[in-house]
Amino acid sequence: MRFLHKRIKMFQLEGQILDDRSIAGMKEKYIKLLSESMKEQGYVIRLDIDPDWSLKYTGNYYEFILSVYGSYIGKKNAACIDGLDKNRPIYTPPNKSDESYLDRESTLNQK
């Protein structure tokens, strides 16, 4: 399947974080959550476009906005592709016990 010239759509998640000790890992968790939601709609995350993450302290909690970008490839294709990197598909490992690309990326970012 060709993945060139696919339109890019922004997906956004807004919320609150009550405990500042949990901020460090929340961004990666929310990216994964949003990516899984996108796949259910037939979209996959664009790995070549960095997510936008903003955080604001209100006095009692933190408000965040997360924006990620994806391209529509259909539900069937989205089930076996973790994301697109410069229009090149990054396939989900065939063994479900293997880590997905996003899990490996999250692990690398934490080191």
Side-chain angles (χ1 to χ4, degrees):
M1 177 176 192
R2 291 185 46 174
F3 299 107
L4 295 171
H5 308 289
K6 293 287 187 182
R7 288 184 190 236
I8 296 172
K9 180 178 177 181
M10 181 178 71
F11 293 82
Q12 206 168 62
L13 181 65
E14 297 181 29
Q16 300 173 348
I17 299 174
L18 302 176
D19 185 0
D20 61 354
R21 291 175 291 185
S22 61
I23 289 175
M26 296 306 290
K27 178 181 175 184
E28 297 303 322
K29 289 179 184 177
Y30 285 135
I31 290 172
K32 186 174 180 181
L33 176 72
L34 201 47
S35 177
E36 290 172 4
S37 174
M38 291 165 57
K39 288 179 102 172
E40 291 173 4
Q41 300 173 49
Y43 287 84
V44 291
I45 195 167
R46 293 296 305 249
L47 301 168
D48 52 333
I49 304 174
D50 290 335
D52 294 323
W53 170 259
S54 64
L55 199 59
K56 180 175 93 175
Y57 186 64
T58 65
N60 297 322
Y61 54 86
Y62 292 87
E63 292 180 341
F64 72 87
I65 300 175
L66 171 66
S67 300
V68 299
Y69 304 88
S71 293
Y72 184 80
I73 61 170
K75 290 181 182 182
K76 185 176 177 182
N77 285 321
C80 61
I81 295 176
D82 278 341
L84 294 178
D85 186 11
K86 295 185 176 125
N87 299 315
R88 186 175 45 92
I90 305 298
Y91 290 94
T92 305
N95 184 351
K96 298 226 184 227
S97 65
D98 289 347
E99 293 180 331
S100 73
Y101 177 82
L102 293 173
D103 290 334
R104 291 190 303 271
E105 196 65 19
S106 175
T107 302
L108 291 174
N109 289 336
Q110 292 175 356
K111 290 182 179 178

